[in-house]
Amino acid sequence: MDAMSDLVGQYLRVRRALGYKLNNAEDILNRFVAYLEVRDADRVSVADAVGFATAPPARTARTQALRLSAVRCFTRWAHCQDPSIEVPPARLLPARPSRVAPYIYTAEQLDALLEATGRLQPPERAATYQTLIGLMAATGIRTGEAIGLDTSSFDPHAGILTVTGKYGKRRMLPLHSTVADALTGYLKQRRHLPGAHSDHALLVSTRGTRLHLSTVHATFRPLTAEAGLGTASSACRHRLHDLRHTFAVSTMLDAYRRGDDPAVVLPVLSTWLGHTEPRDTYWYLTGTAELLEAAATRLDTTDEERALT
């Protein structure tokens, strides 16, 4: 198993040199090596890979499929080093991707949420979380992207926000004047916080340090109850990330209502959200009643125009 551990280490180094993080894959592969060691396996077989993927505590089909996928990617590479290593066939454990139903906030609900956030204590904490929620709602950036912003990320004179997204890719977002003014006002308000001058973070805690993701989520959950937002169903609960979904839906809804061509708007929205391809943006376009109605109206109008020609 020492040789197998070495192969796993080589595989991770090669893949990471290509830009992959593989944090979850590393954990899975280390557990796979331990699984083989317990069974005193002298080589990697398809049966071993499937046995590991389906062993407890893999409670769901998706978890089993993800485990086997990580092992399969590794064995495809390792087979070139050692032909005795068997590669599991593709789709041996198929699983449909699971998706949490996004909660699409209305304008009234966002106002109620910001009002509830304004009641946090002390006032500096309220200002930080109001800025965080307002910025995510107005720009659709990811929670991690918002927390990762530095003071240098915001150019108040040009009204530009530079966001660092996945894989270190950067994009420059022109802000509406109200959003730029709100960020400028927040920066003035947080100047007296201890440590705020030494920390480069744009959004800071009451100690003047960068916000932590777990703390942000723990703060957000009670705010939805404080704002009186009920859950739509057991599969649709409030998440901070749903502000990104709401932004995408609202952008397309406004485009339909203005009579813009959605085929033109979608690539722009995709670039704004930091997606590589427009197909990644479809994930965020939840079929709300308003969006479907607007799409149907556009379709009817297009059919009428074709009939006249």
Side-chain angles (χ1 to χ4, degrees):
M1 283 305 104
D2 288 341
M4 186 59 59
S5 295
D6 290 341
L7 274 178
V8 168
Q10 293 175 35
Y11 166 75
L12 293 172
R13 285 193 295 273
V14 169
R15 294 278 285 172
R16 283 169 175 160
L18 296 173
Y20 296 93
K21 293 185 178 180
L22 300 180
N23 294 331
N24 190 46
E26 180 176 11
D27 177 62
I28 292 174
L29 293 177
N30 286 336
R31 286 189 282 122
F32 179 54
V33 172
Y35 176 90
L36 295 174
E37 188 170 6
V38 168
R39 281 151 185 77
D40 198 25
D42 57 356
R43 64 186 182 88
V44 177
S45 67
V46 173
D48 287 326
V50 174
F52 165 73
T54 57
R59 299 182 178 86
T60 67
R62 177 162 173 76
T63 300
Q64 294 176 1
L66 289 174
R67 279 185 177 182
L68 188 60
S69 176
V71 172
R72 183 173 183 275
C73 288
F74 162 68
T75 54
R76 285 178 60 192
W77 176 87
H79 180 76
C80 298
Q81 317 295 321
D82 182 355
S84 69
I85 294 176
E86 297 181 2
V87 182
R91 300 181 181 85
L92 190 58
L93 294 178
R96 293 174 60 89
S98 59
R99 183 194 185 197
V100 176
Y103 191 100
I104 306 301
Y105 300 92
T106 65
E108 293 75 18
Q109 288 173 328
L110 287 174
D111 288 340
L113 186 58
L114 288 171
E115 184 178 344
T117 307
R119 293 193 287 271
L120 289 173
Q121 292 296 327
E124 293 79 12
R125 181 168 176 249
T128 292
Y129 280 93
Q130 277 189 320
T131 303
L132 170 66
I133 293 172
L135 183 61
M136 289 184 62
T139 62
I141 62 176
R142 302 176 179 93
T143 309
E145 291 173 342
I147 293 174
L149 290 171
D150 293 327
T151 52
S152 59
S153 303
F154 173 52
D155 183 346
H157 302 292
I160 299 292
L161 188 69
T162 301
V163 180
T164 302
K166 291 183 176 180
Y167 312 116
K169 291 188 294 186
R170 302 172 69 190
R171 61 192 191 277
M172 300 176 70
L173 307 181
L175 302 178
H176 190 275
S177 58
T178 57
V179 180
D181 290 344
L183 278 179
T184 302
Y186 168 71
L187 288 173
K188 291 179 180 178
Q189 185 175 355
R190 47 148 267 182
R191 284 177 181 172
H192 67 280
L193 287 175
H197 295 288
S198 59
D199 197 295
H200 298 296
L202 177 67
L203 299 167
V204 295
S205 67
T206 52
R207 299 190 304 275
T209 58
R210 191 180 299 274
L211 294 176
H212 193 276
L213 192 60
S214 61
T215 304
V216 167
H217 288 311
T219 301
F220 180 76
R221 283 189 289 269
L223 288 175
T224 59
E226 177 71 18
L229 307 185
T231 55
S233 69
S234 59
C236 182
R237 302 178 181 274
H238 313 102
R239 301 176 305 161
L240 192 57
H241 186 70
D242 289 333
L243 293 172
R244 182 170 168 85
H245 287 266
T246 301
F247 175 85
V249 171
S250 299
T251 299
M252 290 305 297
L253 182 58
D254 289 342
Y256 276 117
R257 288 172 173 171
R258 289 193 306 265
D260 295 341
D261 186 351
V264 175
V265 174
L266 184 62
V268 177
L269 174 61
S270 182
T271 301
W272 180 283
L273 292 175
H275 292 155
T276 304
E277 300 181 25
R279 68 183 180 184
D280 299 325
T281 309
Y282 285 117
W283 185 267
Y284 288 87
L285 296 178
T286 303
T288 62
E290 294 83 1
L291 187 58
L292 292 176
E293 180 183 3
T297 300
R298 175 180 173 81
L299 182 61
D300 291 340
T301 303
T302 303
D303 289 342
E304 292 174 1
E305 291 174 350
R306 287 174 180 170
L308 292 175
T309 57

